[in-house]
Amino acid sequence: MLRFLTILAVLAGTHFAASQTTVSFPTSDGGVVFADLYGTGERALVLAHGGQFNKESWSGQAPQFVAAGFRVLAIDFRGYGKSHGPGDADPLGAPLSQDVLAAVRYLRQAGAKSVSIVGGSMGGGAGGAASIASQPGEIDRLVMLGSAPYGPAEKLKSASLWMVARDDASGSELRLPGIRAQYEKAPEPKKLIVLDGSAHAQFLFQTDQGERVMKEILDFLTAKDLPGK
């Protein structure tokens, strides 16, 4: 009987961790962002997808963040799903930092005491731009997968983790040199992790390094003391 109850508890916990609700909220420039909300708690996390993805693409990682104690908000950028706003016909040229900032402020208004961002590719660039535009202390930590901020890295206001595969390339051009150059300009605390292979941004989770990628992110997000902070 005890073993049966234990199995039920595990299944119930898994279902709870994976459950989500869809919410929406306005941006400061007149847009509306739709997002999937997972979990509860005062420590929150915005997940910002890359150009080839959407909010559902985080469904494999969101429960792991919830299990680590985060309330998680996976957003659809304007031009994806039901999200819309100025520039949504060409999201790569749109003010996507507005969508990230709206998500951060939604979580703050909902009771979050700290908010961090994990962004892949386009989402990492937008997350970096949001950190630059944010108020001091508004965004705690920033993780950028295969990307650099859309804006001057030296103006980041958040502790930052940069992760990129050594052979990740856009066309024939490797991304690592440009990312490293921006990393060097970023303020402390910061950390750069260069992984083997060529997987770009969120595709890293689908490689044999996926578990390491998640562990590095969680270690960074949950560290009580970051070097240089």
Side-chain angles (χ1 to χ4, degrees):
M1 177 61 74
L2 179 60
R3 184 169 182 271
F4 175 70
L5 292 176
T6 300
I7 292 172
L8 285 180
V10 171
L11 290 174
T14 301
H15 174 74
F16 173 78
S19 63
Q20 55 86 15
T21 58
T22 300
V23 299
S24 63
F25 42 86
T27 67
S28 62
D29 62 348
V32 176
V33 171
F34 283 77
D36 290 337
L37 180 65
Y38 303 76
T40 60
E42 295 184 341
R43 187 170 55 170
L45 184 62
V46 175
L47 301 181
H49 65 81
Q52 301 180 59
F53 294 92
N54 55 24
K55 61 183 175 61
E56 287 82 12
S57 65
W58 296 104
S59 61
Q61 292 77 48
Q64 298 180 63
F65 290 123
V66 171
F70 289 93
R71 185 189 328 181
V72 176
L73 190 65
I75 67 172
D76 258 344
F77 279 112
R78 61 187 67 191
Y80 292 79
K82 295 181 180 179
S83 296
H84 58 272
D88 58 17
D90 179 23
L92 284 173
L96 301 182
S97 60
Q98 297 288 344
D99 301 350
V100 178
L101 283 172
V104 169
R105 290 163 184 169
Y106 171 87
L107 289 166
R108 290 280 186 181
Q109 292 169 7
K113 301 300 184 185
S114 72
V115 182
S116 296
I117 299 166
V118 176
S121 192
M122 178 181 79
S131 174
I132 292 168
S134 68
Q135 297 300 312
E138 193 171 22
I139 297 171
D140 183 34
R141 303 179 192 192
L142 169 67
V143 178
M144 291 176 287
L145 303 175
S147 58
Y150 293 157
E154 59 269 25
K155 294 186 178 181
L156 286 173
K157 298 187 181 76
S158 314
S160 57
L161 172 64
W162 310 53
M163 299 183 73
V164 59
R166 190 178 310 278
D167 298 321
D168 181 2
S170 176
S172 60
E173 183 176 352
L174 292 175
R175 289 187 168 91
L176 177 57
I179 288 174
R180 192 189 295 277
Q182 288 294 87
Y183 170 79
E184 295 297 338
K185 298 176 184 178
E188 296 285 353
K190 61 184 178 181
K191 183 177 183 180
L192 172 64
I193 297 175
V194 180
L195 300 163
D196 293 334
S198 59
H200 178 52
Q202 283 171 260
F203 288 110
L204 288 166
F205 292 113
Q206 302 174 21
T207 70
D208 57 6
Q209 298 181 93
E211 289 187 9
R212 180 194 173 187
V213 171
M214 177 58 72
K215 183 181 185 302
E216 295 283 5
I217 293 172
L218 286 173
D219 286 350
F220 173 76
L221 293 175
T222 59
K224 291 183 179 180
D225 296 303
L226 293 173
K229 190 169 185 179

